[in-house]
Amino acid sequence: MTTANLNTDKKKNNPLIELIFNIVVPSVILMKLSGPEHLGTVNGLLVALAFPVGYALYDFIKVRSLNFISLLGFLSTLLTGGIALFELDVEWLAIKEAAIPATIGVIVLLSGFFSKPLLAKVLLNSILFKLDDIYDALDAKNNAEKFKQKINRANHILAMTFAFSAVMNYVLAKWIVTSPAGTVEFNEQLGEMTFISYPVIAIPSTLMMLGIFYYVVKVITQLTGLKFEQMLKTD
């Protein structure tokens, strides 16, 4: 889930390429190529981290925009490298793994109190929907206030999905990464954690967000009387 500024002429990122550069390749390098007979502990870690960092820089250059969530992901990768290279206690890795989604969750939650809910900024945009038609229909049926309440509720649920990610990240890090930083075993366990986090955390979180998107669309159709095809921007 991103909040990048999008233009219709910009291609969307390929999810498969993102998966390969951010999960698959780093995990394989850490688990299989970090031994002294291959790259070694430090070089293996640096090469593995170079893939997500390099992809983030490539994406920034391509779209000329770096959203807050992407920035947190970039910083997360650098912090992981710092923890390993400076051989800090592995407890810091678990804290870092939990802190990133927790920070996003807090921002999502607070956005509903101080400004437009972040959920609305992400989903209700002119790229996907005919916003003028939606808001006109809400005003015509006097459902604008009810719509705001429903969106705030969905925003709270979105914050809960990040809370789920934070807890699961911490538990997974504590469970898998037990070896001291700077060792081959640490690199291997870090790779295993990265690989397992996709089916254990990323997929359930994505399903939750799809559920939230379905809820928002259902709310719009109920409160505006518009069909999905009528509010969807197709040009």
Side-chain angles (χ1 to χ4, degrees):
M1 184 185 58
T2 61
T3 55
N5 294 325
L6 301 176
N7 293 322
T8 55
D9 58 338
K10 290 178 180 175
K11 295 182 179 180
K12 294 182 179 179
N13 292 334
N14 188 322
L16 179 60
I17 299 299
E18 290 183 339
L19 180 64
I20 291 173
F21 274 82
N22 291 299
I23 303 292
V24 178
V25 173
S27 298
V28 171
I29 293 173
L30 289 169
M31 290 188 291
K32 302 298 182 181
L33 301 176
S34 292
E37 70 278 14
H38 296 295
L39 295 173
T41 305
V42 175
N43 288 337
L45 177 68
L46 292 176
V47 172
L49 295 178
F51 280 87
V53 170
Y55 186 83
L57 292 174
Y58 162 77
D59 187 56
F60 171 71
I61 293 172
K62 183 177 68 173
V63 303
R64 298 293 180 182
S65 176
L66 183 63
N67 61 78
F68 182 71
I69 295 177
S70 295
L71 177 60
L72 284 179
F74 180 77
L75 292 177
S76 175
T77 302
L78 294 184
L79 286 173
T80 299
I83 291 169
L85 294 175
F86 290 102
E87 299 183 7
L88 303 180
D89 192 290
V90 292
E91 178 68 21
W92 285 106
L93 179 67
I95 293 173
K96 187 274 299 182
E97 288 294 311
I100 299 299
T103 299
I104 299 174
V106 170
I107 292 172
V108 170
L109 186 63
L110 292 178
S111 70
F113 294 100
F114 295 104
S115 62
K116 187 177 181 181
L118 187 60
L119 175 74
K121 294 182 179 179
V122 174
L123 294 184
L124 298 178
N125 60 75
S126 57
I127 302 297
L128 293 175
F129 296 106
K130 299 175 182 177
L131 295 183
D132 291 339
D133 292 351
I134 291 174
Y135 292 133
D136 288 344
L138 287 170
D139 290 336
K141 292 181 175 292
N142 294 318
N143 282 332
E145 190 60 35
K146 186 180 294 186
F147 177 70
K148 291 179 182 179
Q149 294 173 0
K150 297 283 188 180
I151 291 297
N152 265 319
R153 182 182 303 173
N155 198 63
H156 292 159
I157 298 173
L158 179 62
M160 290 173 59
T161 66
F162 285 107
F164 163 80
S165 295
V167 172
M168 290 301 297
N169 278 349
Y170 183 83
V171 170
L172 202 63
K174 291 287 288 183
W175 174 45
I176 294 178
V177 185
T178 57
S179 299
T183 63
V184 175
E185 291 77 12
F186 174 85
N187 280 12
E188 292 175 346
Q189 292 168 359
L190 182 61
E192 182 182 356
M193 182 193 72
T194 302
F195 190 78
I196 293 178
S197 67
Y198 186 76
V200 173
I201 301 173
I203 292 179
S205 297
T206 300
L207 292 176
M208 291 179 193
M209 292 179 186
L210 288 175
I212 294 171
F213 179 76
Y214 174 80
Y215 170 79
V216 170
V217 170
K218 186 176 180 181
V219 165
I220 295 175
T221 56
Q222 288 177 341
L223 296 182
T224 62
L226 298 172
K227 295 181 180 179
F228 181 69
E229 299 80 17
Q230 292 177 304
M231 60 176 150
L232 193 65
K233 199 166 187 179
T234 56
D235 55 347

